[in-house]
Amino acid sequence: MTTDQKHAHHDGHEGHDGHGHGRDSQGHEGPGGGATGQEFWEAFYAERDRIWSGNPNDVLVREVADLAPGRALDLGCGEGADAIWLARRGWRVTATDISALALERAAGHAAEAGVADRVDWQRHDLGASFPTGSYDLVSAHFLHSPNDDLPRETILRTAAAAVAPGGVLLIAGHAGFPPGEPNPHPDVHLPTPEEVLADLDLPEGRWEVLVCGEHERIQTRPGEEAVRRMDNALKVRRLPE
């Protein structure tokens, strides 16, 4: 998958790609071998005591650092790096992942960081359920899956609908695999930020595009050599009503 499973995840240099998680912008492959999304990710996290670096995603830090804290929704929180970074900056965070083990670890990291009371950890397979409420920031990093069971466009449209007036939707994704690394899922399309924007089908005159483009990033994961890869980001703001 990629840091996205979340029907996904991520973990910011934690990195992930895949369903429900993410956050790291590191990327990994998704459910396979007939396993459900949750089964895949529970097994994935059970392989090691720590998967991601524990650092927030670069795009999140760059694009959110100047925003006034409010309510944030982290889709695919992985081991919690992005949510904890937000909480430390004064945000009230709802953080979701498909993996109960990842959420347990994330809660432990939040307690160690002294922000346990600022994060609400919720387990969701985003293709089946979604957090309630509206948010000043909705963040989705590396929501990719090699399987057809991840309704990514639908999830991201639901994410946009959860943005409060004046709030921001931030979506980060991979633009391709690292140079020289074989692509195990050549049939999986990694959308450009322009395609993501078009798929959101945002009402005309109700949103403004703040960022839409590709960028280079150094990918790091514990015990592995750092590599350069291209990612992309879309940042849109819902205009006040």
Side-chain angles (χ1 to χ4, degrees), residues 86-143:
L86 287 166
R88 281 174 162 164
R89 299 183 67 86
W91 293 81
R92 290 283 179 180
V93 186
T94 297
T96 77
D97 203 280
I98 195 172
S99 167
L101 179 55
L103 291 170
E104 180 181 342
R105 290 181 186 171
H109 296 324
E112 293 171 359
V115 294
D117 62 334
R118 302 194 67 84
V119 186
D120 176 18
W121 307 99
Q122 298 183 12
R123 199 193 76 77
H124 288 276
D125 179 335
L126 296 176
S129 65
F130 199 91
T132 59
S134 61
Y135 302 85
D136 304 297
L137 169 68
V138 177
S139 175
H141 281 63
F142 308 103
L143 195 61

Side-chain angles (χ1 to χ4, degrees), residues 14 16 24 27 33 36 76 93 104 106 123-124 165 173 181 211 224 226 231:
E14 275 241 302
H16 111 86
D24 191 231
T36 65
V93 186
E104 180 181 342
R123 199 193 76 77
H124 288 276
E181 180 178 315
V211 174
E224 297 183 12
D231 289 336

Side-chain angles (χ1 to χ4, degrees), residues 12-25:
H13 293 329
E14 275 241 302
H16 111 86
D17 288 2
H19 174 274
H21 230 117
R23 238 276 149 70
D24 191 231
S25 50

Side-chain angles (χ1 to χ4, degrees), residues 19-71:
H19 174 274
H21 230 117
R23 238 276 149 70
D24 191 231
S25 50
Q26 300 317 328
H28 51 88
E29 301 322 314
T36 65
Q38 183 177 4
E39 290 170 342
F40 172 86
W41 288 108
E42 298 296 0
F44 177 84
Y45 280 100
E47 291 176 359
R48 287 183 288 174
D49 292 337
R50 188 179 196 114
I51 300 295
W52 311 119
S53 69
N55 300 318
N57 279 297
D58 293 346
V59 171
L60 181 77
V61 174
R62 182 172 66 245
E63 300 299 338
V64 174
D66 292 338
L67 296 183
R71 295 190 64 206

